[in-house]
Amino acid sequence: MNPDGMCYLDLGDATWSGRWSDAVNAYWSPLYAWLLGAALHVVRPTSHGEFPLVHAVNFIIFLLALGSFEFFLGSLLVDLRSDRSNGSSAKVVPLAEWSLTCVSYGLFLWTSLVLITVYDVGADLAIAALVYLIAALLLRIRRGAGFFCYVLLGVTLGAAYLTKAAMFPLGFAFILIGFFWVPRGKRVPYLLLVTMFFLAVSAPWVAALSKRKGKFTFGDSGMLNYSALVSPGGRVINWEGVPPATGVPLHPTRKLLDDPPLYEFATPIGGTYPPSFDPAYWNAGRTWTFNLSTQLRVILRHTLTYSGLFLRSQPGLLTAVLTLLFVGGVATRKAVLAYWPLFIMGFAAMGLYMLVHVETRFVAAYICMFWVALLSGIRLPQSGGQLKMAEYLIGAVTLTLVLTVADGTAHAIQAGGPYSARNHIEVSEGLKKVGVQPGDKVAVLGDGNWSYWARLGRLRIVATVMGPDTPGFWAANAQQKAKVFQMFAESGARVVVTGDLPPLVTLDAGWQPIGTTGYYFRWVSQ
């Protein structure tokens, strides 16, 4: 489990429970949360079964992404078959279909299981599935597909927006890219139908967000991330108007103590950990500023991230593709350029993320699409042994990609799995045994957004001393600690829980261990 996943689960619960004030959230997009919430609503798992059920949903999404990629690859292969039959007279043909298929699935596995991952609980695999579907539909529209494909493209773009807010501006960009790929006589109906259905799917959620915020918005995640990560900077969780250029908080979390800093947020937002569940509410009044030098530094840092992905992450792939591009000559360059909309799609998305924040999971589908499109454009003479050389190269690249995935999987198995939440199940069960009931309010010494035990126990975190501030708490005298416990009790918390103990700290008699998890609890209110 991971912090984003806990928020998506809370949002899914709010939707399926009809808690609309929490369900309309300007930070977390709804579609992935709706899917998780539907699974929980139907299966109703125990605390031991909740996270495995989440990963079952993730695996189904992975299979849908695989099917979507198959649709995309099949759309490309139709073009290649046509070129192969037309190339019999020119003596120049694409790569063998089986060869391109093998390396394409290798790329899919690498980007899906290594760059995105299936262990992370988030919407990125769902976005990848939708990106492949968008690209496939554009390829079919290019070949003259009719109005049904236009409608399906608009609906898919709308679903992508409901999965991640960044897809709203990108949706318009993708429509524009497709406009120049559509046969001239169909451009007007294409533009009208795709845009109409895109807006028809998107508009209800945009309207709900805008009504709640009192102004037009398609989501606040972009603005908050730009303000925090680019300019003027500063944290999002428990933002108190620092640095000053970030704006004036309208209703921030309440800072009850300065030493150590203690924040309370019992009302009015729900969720397991309210500051993470609805940052848009707690950061109302926040602004962003444009600073050219800061923006250029961010762009440079992300340029290096992209260069690592393209130049260092798979050097064998890079070597093989460059070799084939050089050998293919003019015919290859012309065929590659024919797929320019697929490249522009990726560059548009990567350019948008480059301005704010880049993670491999955000751009993995575009990277996969980039390499597959390049390889689809390779054209080689039928004679002279170059096709046989290409098959050897592609075979080596495919093997390298598969081994990369296998190596990462083996390391994950040996390490026991990343982000293991096993201890959190034991903490949840341990608190239940001592009388902490679902719906109870609790306080945390540490980072509440990593406190999955609270989610499993259906508890609400209402106050915290954040992780970076906990050393100040442990170094405080008994009177200062008593003041912290009093503030926790006044916030409505029954117990305070911590797993954030510095070395050599001696706990007083009020603290009790929770099994062998390394977590401890203390009653602050009965």
Side-chain angles (χ1 to χ4, degrees), residues 126-169:
I127 281 292
L130 293 165
V131 166
Y132 295 136
L133 182 55
I134 291 165
L137 289 170
L138 287 176
L139 284 166
R140 290 174 181 259
I141 288 170
R142 173 202 187 194
R143 291 200 307 271
F147 293 162
F148 177 73
C149 272
Y150 301 166
V151 171
L152 188 56
L153 177 59
V155 171
T156 304
L157 290 169
Y161 159 63
L162 294 179
T163 308
K164 182 163 282 194
M167 295 302 291
F168 190 73

Side-chain angles (χ1 to χ4, degrees), residues 99-183:
S99 182
L100 181 62
T101 298
C102 287
V103 73
S104 296
Y105 278 112
L107 285 163
F108 172 80
L109 288 174
W110 170 56
T111 53
S112 299
L113 300 182
V114 177
L115 300 188
I116 298 176
T117 77
V118 290
Y119 63 77
D120 240 354
V121 182
D124 299 288
L125 266 176
I127 281 292
L130 293 165
V131 166
Y132 295 136
L133 182 55
I134 291 165
L137 289 170
L138 287 176
L139 284 166
R140 290 174 181 259
I141 288 170
R142 173 202 187 194
R143 291 200 307 271
F147 293 162
F148 177 73
C149 272
Y150 301 166
V151 171
L152 188 56
L153 177 59
V155 171
T156 304
L157 290 169
Y161 159 63
L162 294 179
T163 308
K164 182 163 282 194
M167 295 302 291
F168 190 73
L170 286 175
F172 289 105
F174 293 168
I175 292 172
L176 182 61
I177 291 167
F179 177 81
F180 294 101
W181 221 7
V182 175

Side-chain angles (χ1 to χ4, degrees), residues 385-519:
Q386 294 176 8
L387 278 175
K388 181 60 68 176
M389 175 206 69
E391 289 179 6
Y392 287 133
L393 280 174
I394 295 301
V397 169
T398 303
L399 182 60
T400 302
L401 290 166
V402 173
L403 288 175
T404 298
V405 176
D407 177 69
T409 303
H411 279 83
I413 292 171
Q414 185 182 32
Y419 301 152
S420 173
R422 183 183 299 274
N423 272 1
H424 293 262
I425 298 174
E426 189 177 344
V427 171
S428 172
E429 295 294 324
L431 290 173
K432 189 181 297 183
K433 288 178 182 177
V434 298
V436 181
Q437 300 298 319
D440 281 351
K441 298 174 180 178
V442 298
V444 170
L445 290 173
D447 293 321
N449 55 338
W450 290 87
S451 298
Y452 314 130
W453 50 266
R455 161 73 201 180
L456 293 170
R458 298 302 186 266
L459 308 174
R460 289 200 65 233
I461 301 171
V462 296
T464 185
V465 174
M466 296 176 68
D469 302 321
T470 54
F473 168 82
W474 295 114
N477 58 41
Q479 185 177 2
Q480 289 173 307
K481 290 178 180 176
K483 182 65 173 176
V484 170
F485 296 142
Q486 179 187 343
M487 292 292 100
F488 282 156
E490 291 177 0
S491 71
R494 289 190 64 198
V495 297
V496 55
V497 179
T498 187
D500 200 5
L501 289 177
L504 305 178
V505 166
T506 302
L507 297 175
D508 62 48
W511 289 98
Q512 301 177 50
I514 306 175
T516 59
T517 63
Y519 281 78

Side-chain angles (χ1 to χ4, degrees), residues 207-231:
L209 292 180
S210 300
K211 181 178 179 181
R212 181 174 184 186
K213 300 292 291 184
K215 62 178 182 179
F216 172 80
T217 181
F218 60 86
D220 287 347
S221 57
M223 183 278 293
L224 291 181
N225 286 326
Y226 191 93
S227 177
L229 300 173
V230 183
S231 181

Side-chain angles (χ1 to χ4, degrees), residues 75-88 90-97 100 139 142-143 181 320-340 342-343 371-383 385-391 394:
S75 301
L76 278 173
L77 290 176
V78 170
D79 282 353
L80 265 64
R81 290 167 193 150
S82 175
D83 284 359
R84 184 172 290 107
S85 61
N86 294 335
S88 58
K91 308 300 183 184
V92 175
V93 294
L95 295 174
E97 187 171 315
L100 181 62
L139 284 166
R142 173 202 187 194
R143 291 200 307 271
W181 221 7
V321 171
L322 286 177
T323 300
L324 293 173
L325 286 173
F326 288 137
V327 171
V330 175
T332 289
R333 288 193 287 274
K334 288 176 62 177
V336 167
L337 288 175
Y339 292 117
W340 67 265
L342 300 181
F343 298 119
W371 289 115
V372 172
L374 271 183
L375 289 164
S376 298
I378 300 297
R379 299 292 183 269
L380 298 172
Q382 295 191 63
S383 59
Q386 294 176 8
L387 278 175
K388 181 60 68 176
M389 175 206 69
E391 289 179 6
I394 295 301

Side-chain angles (χ1 to χ4, degrees), residues 172-344:
F172 289 105
F174 293 168
I175 292 172
L176 182 61
I177 291 167
F179 177 81
F180 294 101
W181 221 7
V182 175
R184 287 185 179 275
K186 295 184 176 182
R187 285 181 176 178
V188 172
Y190 160 84
L191 192 61
L192 291 176
L193 277 175
V194 175
T195 304
M196 181 175 68
F197 278 89
F198 173 43
L199 293 177
V201 175
S202 305
W205 186 248
V206 173
L209 292 180
S210 300
K211 181 178 179 181
R212 181 174 184 186
K213 300 292 291 184
K215 62 178 182 179
F216 172 80
T217 181
F218 60 86
D220 287 347
S221 57
M223 183 278 293
L224 291 181
N225 286 326
Y226 191 93
S227 177
L229 300 173
V230 183
S231 181
R235 69 189 186 194
V236 171
I237 294 180
N238 294 323
W239 170 65
E240 301 290 325
V242 177
T246 50
V248 178
L250 298 182
H251 30 70
T253 56
R254 294 164 284 276
K255 192 175 186 181
L256 304 183
L257 288 177
D258 289 323
D259 187 21
L262 188 154
Y263 300 91
E264 178 268 321
F265 32 80
T267 59
I269 300 299
T272 302
Y273 184 60
S276 282
F277 177 67
D278 195 351
Y281 174 84
W282 301 111
N283 284 264
R286 188 173 188 133
T287 60
W288 62 275
T289 58
F290 179 76
N291 182 289
L292 181 60
S293 61
T294 301
Q295 183 66 82
L296 290 176
R297 283 198 299 271
V298 169
I299 290 173
L300 176 60
R301 184 171 72 247
H302 293 151
T303 299
L304 295 176
T305 301
Y306 288 144
S307 69
L309 283 171
F310 285 105
L311 303 179
R312 296 197 309 275
S313 58
Q314 290 292 340
L317 173 65
L318 176 65
T319 302
V321 171
L322 286 177
T323 300
L324 293 173
L325 286 173
F326 288 137
V327 171
V330 175
T332 289
R333 288 193 287 274
K334 288 176 62 177
V336 167
L337 288 175
Y339 292 117
W340 67 265
L342 300 181
F343 298 119
I344 298 299

